[in-house]
Amino acid sequence: MSISLNENITYLKGVGPQKADLLASELGIKTYNDLLYYFPYRYLDRSKFYTINELNGEMSHVQIKAKVIHIETIGEKRKQRYVVTVNDGTGTTKLVWFKGIKWIKDIIKPNKEYIFFGKPTLFNQTINFTHPEIDDASKQKEKLSFNFQAFYNTSEKMKSRFLNSKAIHSLVLNLLPKVKDNITETLPSYLIKKQKLIYLNEAIYNIHLPLSQDLLQKAIFRLKFEELFYIQLKILRLKQYQKESVKGYFFKKVGQYFNSFYKNCIPFELTNAQKKVLREIRLDTNSGKQMNRLLQGDVGSGKTLVALMAMLLAIDNGFQACIMAPTEILANQHYETIRELVKPLGISVGILTGSTKQKARRLLHTDLLENKLNILIGTHALIEDAVKFAKLGMVVIDEQHRFGVAQRAKLWHKNKQPPHVLVMTATPIPRTLAMTLYGDLDVSVIDELPPGRKAIQTLHYYDSKRLRLFGFIKEQIKLGRQIYLVYPLIKESEALDYKDLEDGLESISRAFPPPEYSISVVHGKMKPIEKDKAMDLFVRKQTNIMIATTVIEVGVNVPNASVMVIESAERFGLSQLHQLRGRVGRGANQSYCILMTGNKLSLHGRKRIETMVNTNDGFEISEVDLKLRGPGDIEGTQQSGIPLDLKIANLGKDAQILSYARQIAENILDKDPKLETHENAMLRNQMEKKWKYEFNWSQIS
Ligand code: ADP
Ligand code: MG
């Protein structure tokens, strides 16, 4: 009998309308197929038992076999606890029940041996289990038809209605034998054979009901591979499509602007890395294809200069250029820097942000259309419909992680033909994530800092050392340096954070009184004009301390600032900490980053602080970040348009499988770019099925 995998889950034995509703609303499981692809998140090797003397509070769920030596009921009525002490010959541990006591009382008998399963926790110096599962040890043999027990995520709501992990597992057990022969393969057989993968039906079976450790590993590998493979195939196909069919403006020459800037306007020698990237950009813009390039470079590596020179290349060829920054402060700073740098060239530079006045705006609009303005610098305001260029040839997007694919695309539409696009990011992206998020872009890396920079020293201080911190700040100010002091700003509790900053400000003002010390304050609640004023005072060395929330995070450049103090550093993400640290170390002086935290740090919090203290390498930091947080939480990835809520693969942990899958996808597309051959029919088919809704955005031109 053939059963459709699209059958409604209601018809599965053990489900029914109510549970079907729950499965759909809580987990998105509506069909048989959805359930098959609802993979376990963990397995327990049921043949493995721990001894009590091996247990510690850091372990996840474990299994022990032990004898009941003591039973007692503690407390009255609603505060009642049922405590069972067990011993397995290596030690004793306590099992505690707060609920279902009546039921447990009936099951557990003194002096009998049971199998207990649960998470050991440390409480009052001893190991406890709360509400462990129980099995009769004597019945153990017959229960072990398979060794690995699968665990499924469920919600509290589901648990309260008896749809816990065990229940899901038994639904899967009902379903598997019914449909095993109806699971159709989704990878071509030549690929399966060549890569020594197991077939889909075998993989699905073993992912839920592993027959052995070996088969479980093979199942996991096959499913991860497939998931990553199709994403890479899609991205690479998109890249290929852009290369084939999207024409780019020809920048015929390197002209007078570029050359005279290079000769006369740069006060230093370009680093080799900067030169290399410029050569890459030159090749792209001289190829007849549209450039789509990601420029990765750690904070302070000199990306702005590269971007400016790319824009000069456009102007040399009669085109306009624009640069889009994520914040007004940053846009203003680019504006100041760039206007100053190109002054001798006689190039017109404009700025457009949310606070640009109507009148100035209108003037900009006409100048742009008449090609009187060469470079436009701004924020999101650049993508408004009213902004039209006469001949936009080069778009630079700074700090890409704040913009999504859709926004990138919007800038394309500003022309009949798409401009060249240079995307710059100072948040180093782990290779695996870059391959996925920016897989359609070519990547350049500036892997070298300008010479003469001293590595920033990073220190971790507990709050109790505040006086020492103040002393250090005073020393630095005496040396003529400036100080950043940053407080966290978390959206959900802006009021609270604001209070942090206010309190901080008060104590800092007391410790650093005028006239020796002067303080600028910048926070999210200020008007842009006020922010700029405060920033400006600091930039012009009128103030020596800048107290801020993370609005100064990106891009700000004050070379004389040598100390970055980050308050409640444990509340920041790694990439944010790294960004903030990048605000110092921009001049010739030794710089410091001081991370202030409370005494109590979570495991992840401690790891973040340690990572910061141990390395200045942005790529290394980003790898740790990805491992700690998972790709979905990395800033800016949500609007990327690439599915990151992967079912089984993990971009942080499966880097190797990802590279492997990408390599294979590349080989296939090299030989058969449009997937037209008979043996690739299945790939084409799957691509259309998987991405049918998303393929539109990829074909914007
Ligand atoms: P980021 O890559 O973080 O955007 P910037 O472009 O702001 O870095 O550059 C940081 C600082 O380094 C700026 O003051 C810039 O003028 C300077 N800089 C850039 N390139 C060089 C170089 N080749 N040699 C010396 N200093 C440089
Ligand atoms: Mg920058």
Side-chain angles (χ1 to χ4, degrees):
M1 188 179 63
S2 167
I3 291 169
S4 164
L5 293 183
N6 291 325
E7 188 71 88
N8 193 311
I9 197 79
T10 319
Y11 301 118
L12 182 65
K13 196 177 133 210
V15 179
Q18 276 185 351
K19 282 189 179 161
D21 278 352
L22 263 183
L23 285 168
S25 64
E26 296 291 293
L27 303 178
I29 297 175
K30 294 177 187 142
T31 64
Y32 285 3
N33 199 55
D34 293 339
L35 182 60
L36 289 181
Y37 277 86
Y38 192 67
F39 300 142
Y41 67 97
R42 198 164 61 74
Y43 301 85
L44 175 77
D45 183 348
R46 280 264 160 166
S47 62
K48 163 98 184 144
F49 287 92
Y50 283 83
T51 55
I52 289 174
N53 64 355
E54 287 177 315
L55 302 179
N56 65 56
E58 309 282 300
M59 292 174 152
S60 67
H61 289 63
V62 298
Q63 203 172 224
I64 58 169
K65 198 191 292 183
K67 194 186 252 180
V68 174
I69 54 170
H70 186 70
I71 300 177
E72 63 184 325
T73 309
I74 301 176
E76 292 291 321
K77 289 185 185 153
R78 294 191 58 205
K79 291 206 171 142
Q80 224 175 44
R81 275 174 295 147
Y82 193 63
V83 181
V84 176
T85 309
V86 297
N87 182 296
D88 70 349
T90 73
T92 60
T93 186
K94 283 188 163 57
L95 318 171
V96 186
W97 280 267
F98 300 96
K99 288 181 197 159
I101 294 177
K102 244 188 183 158
W103 180 75
I104 285 295
K105 268 184 177 164
D106 284 344
I107 296 183
I108 294 199
K109 302 273 171 334
N111 285 320
K112 262 193 81 169
E113 193 177 48
Y114 297 89
I115 295 168
F116 299 100
F117 166 73
K119 183 179 169 6
T121 46
L122 195 62
F123 183 74
N124 279 346
Q125 317 285 347
T126 59
I127 293 286
N128 279 265
F129 288 81
T130 310
H131 292 180
E133 282 180 30
I134 315 163
D135 268 328
D136 197 330
S138 59
K139 290 188 192 143
Q140 178 198 356
K141 281 257 153 50
E142 56 202 87
K143 288 209 100 178
L144 283 180
S145 53
F146 55 89
N147 283 334
F148 294 92
Q149 184 180 335
F151 287 85
Y152 298 82
N153 273 317
T154 64
S155 65
E156 283 308 315
K157 193 167 166 192
M158 292 175 70
K159 278 179 202 146
S160 72
R161 309 212 191 148
F162 304 104
L163 256 177
N164 56 13
S165 170
K166 241 181 174 167
I168 303 250
H169 190 57
S170 63
L171 293 182
V172 174
L173 289 184
N174 290 343
L175 180 60
L176 274 177
K178 270 169 87 142
V179 298
K180 189 167 183 252
D181 298 330
N182 299 305
I183 298 173
T184 42
E185 187 49 58
T186 45
L187 285 173
S189 58
Y190 79 88
L191 203 59
I192 291 179
K193 287 195 185 111
K194 205 166 143 202
Q195 308 306 330
K196 298 198 171 64
L197 301 170
I198 63 174
Y199 286 96
L200 182 64
N201 55 0
E202 218 183 336
I204 296 273
Y205 194 92
N206 277 284
I207 200 83
H208 293 289
L209 198 58
L211 293 173
S212 68
Q213 178 70 32
D214 181 49
L215 275 167
L216 174 59
Q217 291 317 319
K218 284 188 170 134
I220 292 174
F221 184 83
R222 142 85 211 215
L223 294 166
K224 283 183 174 177
F225 172 84
E226 173 169 359
E227 190 167 39
L228 296 169
F229 171 76
Y230 274 114
I231 292 175
Q232 289 305 318
L233 202 60
K234 174 195 178 188
I235 292 168
L236 291 167
R237 175 76 198 108
L238 165 62
K239 186 171 172 181
Q240 208 175 40
Y241 172 86
Q242 279 174 352
K243 288 239 157 94
E244 277 163 15
S245 47
V246 182
K247 284 220 171 59
Y249 291 122
F250 246 116
F251 290 179
K252 289 198 191 70
K253 57 179 183 194
V254 179
Q256 170 212 330
Y257 288 127
F258 187 99
N259 283 327
S260 85
F261 180 79
Y262 185 56
K263 273 198 216 104
N264 310 321
C265 303
I266 317 177
F268 37 69
E269 180 70 17
L270 291 182
T271 62
N272 286 328
Q274 283 171 319
K275 286 182 191 163
K276 180 192 70 192
V277 175
L278 279 169
R279 272 197 299 276
E280 286 166 339
I281 293 171
R282 176 68 198 124
L283 283 178
D284 285 351
T285 52
N286 194 24
S287 71
K289 314 253 165 68
Q290 184 208 13
M291 174 173 83
N292 270 293
R293 188 165 283 282
L294 175 70
L295 174 54
Q296 290 200 59
D298 219 335
V299 274
S301 61
K303 295 183 294 294
T304 314
L305 206 63
V306 170
L308 174 57
M309 292 180 76
M311 294 197 285
L312 292 177
L313 209 51
I315 298 165
D316 270 337
N317 288 276
F319 290 91
Q320 294 163 298
C322 71
I323 179 164
M324 184 157 85
T327 64
E328 277 199 47
I329 289 183
L330 197 54
N332 280 322
Q333 192 168 317
H334 277 322
Y335 178 65
E336 298 295 334
T337 314
I338 288 174
R339 207 180 46 166
E340 201 53 42
L341 278 168
V342 301
K343 222 174 216 165
L345 301 178
I347 283 176
S348 59
V349 184
I351 178 153
L352 177 67
T353 67
S355 29
T356 307
K357 295 261 159 37
Q358 268 307 322
K359 210 168 147 195
R361 225 172 249 261
R362 257 179 256 130
L363 208 62
L364 272 177
H365 290 168
T366 42
D367 281 358
L368 276 176
L369 270 178
E370 290 167 14
N371 204 357
K372 281 187 193 151
L373 198 63
N374 301 114
I375 295 179
L376 181 61
I377 296 168
T379 53
H380 280 80
L382 293 193
I383 47 183
E384 284 163 14
D385 290 334
V387 183
K388 293 200 180 79
F389 293 79
K391 248 187 133 182
L392 179 61
M394 173 72 67
V395 170
V396 178
I397 304 178
D398 196 8
E399 313 294 351
Q400 154 74 12
H401 63 290
R402 306 257 166 140
F403 297 106
V405 170
Q407 280 164 318
R408 254 199 270 152
K410 256 193 160 168
L411 275 166
W412 283 31
H413 288 299
K414 298 223 163 277
N415 266 18
K416 289 186 204 78
Q417 200 171 315
H420 296 297
V421 179
L422 181 68
V423 171
M424 303 198 293
T425 170
T427 311
I429 306 158
R431 256 172 49 79
T432 55
L433 204 55
M435 266 190 241
T436 304
L437 285 178
Y438 307 114
D440 58 325
L441 306 179
D442 294 310
V443 179
S444 293
V445 181
I446 302 189
D447 50 7
E448 175 187 15
L449 292 181
R453 298 265 173 86
K454 292 198 180 73
I456 302 164
Q457 274 186 36
T458 302
L459 309 163
H460 172 204
Y461 279 11
Y462 289 108
D463 285 337
S464 46
K465 290 218 189 130
R466 192 158 296 274
L467 281 181
R468 229 174 100 182
L469 170 75
F470 285 179
F472 180 72
I473 291 178
K474 284 178 179 166
E475 264 170 41
Q476 286 285 310
I477 290 178
K478 230 178 227 135
L479 291 171
R481 315 274 188 272
Q482 289 163 284
I483 315 293
Y484 290 108
L485 231 148
V486 175
Y487 288 84
L489 177 103
I490 297 171
K491 284 201 190 77
E492 299 92 84
S493 62
E494 238 170 73
L496 191 81
D497 292 317
Y498 185 63
K499 191 175 169 302
D500 276 4
L501 182 129
E502 290 269 88
D503 291 351
L505 182 59
E506 209 182 290
S507 92
I508 298 288
S509 306
R510 241 182 289 123
F512 298 90
E516 213 178 338
Y517 306 102
S518 49
I519 302 174
S520 283
V521 183
V522 173
H523 59 78
K525 289 199 168 162
M526 287 163 75
K527 294 210 179 75
I529 259 189
E530 297 171 337
K531 272 188 220 170
D532 287 350
K533 238 190 228 157
M535 262 324 287
D536 196 51
L537 283 177
F538 190 67
V539 172
R540 289 190 291 114
K541 297 196 201 175
Q542 303 290 303
T543 53
N544 40 33
I545 299 177
M546 150 91 25
I547 296 195
T549 51
T550 51
V551 287
I552 60 154
E553 184 185 336
V554 225
V556 176
N557 192 20
V558 182
N560 188 53
S562 67
V563 182
M564 166 64 66
V565 181
I566 305 177
E567 294 284 350
S568 307
E570 70 271 29
R571 284 164 67 185
F572 289 84
L574 263 176
S575 74
Q576 247 182 334
L577 289 172
H578 183 62
Q579 275 290 325
L580 285 169
R581 179 168 61 184
R583 296 310 107 214
V584 296
R586 303 187 145 236
N589 306 312
Q590 176 61 54
S591 291
Y592 304 87
C593 174
I594 300 176
L595 307 172
M596 302 297 295
T597 72
N599 285 323
K600 270 200 171 158
L601 290 177
S602 69
L603 217 60
H604 277 193
R606 186 169 298 280
K607 179 80 187 158
R608 287 196 295 271
I609 303 290
E610 274 171 11
T611 305
M612 288 296 294
V613 170
N614 290 338
T615 182
N616 278 319
D617 180 338
F619 282 94
E620 203 178 318
I621 289 170
S622 73
E623 298 283 351
V624 177
D625 198 24
L626 184 58
K627 288 211 173 96
L628 289 182
R629 298 206 292 175
D633 290 329
I634 302 270
E635 214 175 323
T637 54
Q638 288 87 349
Q639 350 87 297
S640 67
I642 304 288
L644 287 170
D645 52 338
L646 304 182
K647 284 212 176 331
I648 184 160
N650 176 315
L651 293 176
K653 295 181 182 135
D654 298 322
Q656 274 190 325
I657 308 180
L658 177 66
S659 308
Y660 180 66
R662 184 176 174 91
Q663 189 60 52
I664 289 166
E666 245 164 26
N667 293 345
I668 290 173
L669 286 173
D670 276 350
K671 283 195 216 119
D672 181 12
K674 292 186 176 151
L675 303 175
E676 288 165 325
T677 61
H678 179 66
E679 64 170 10
N680 285 330
M682 181 183 281
L683 295 180
R684 199 189 163 88
N685 226 324
Q686 286 293 318
M687 292 276 283
E688 276 162 15
K689 211 162 124 190
K690 277 187 204 296
W691 314 119
K692 65 182 164 216
Y693 301 113
E694 284 163 57
F695 240 68
N696 289 336
W697 70 258
S698 50
Q699 286 170 10
I700 16 169
S701 58

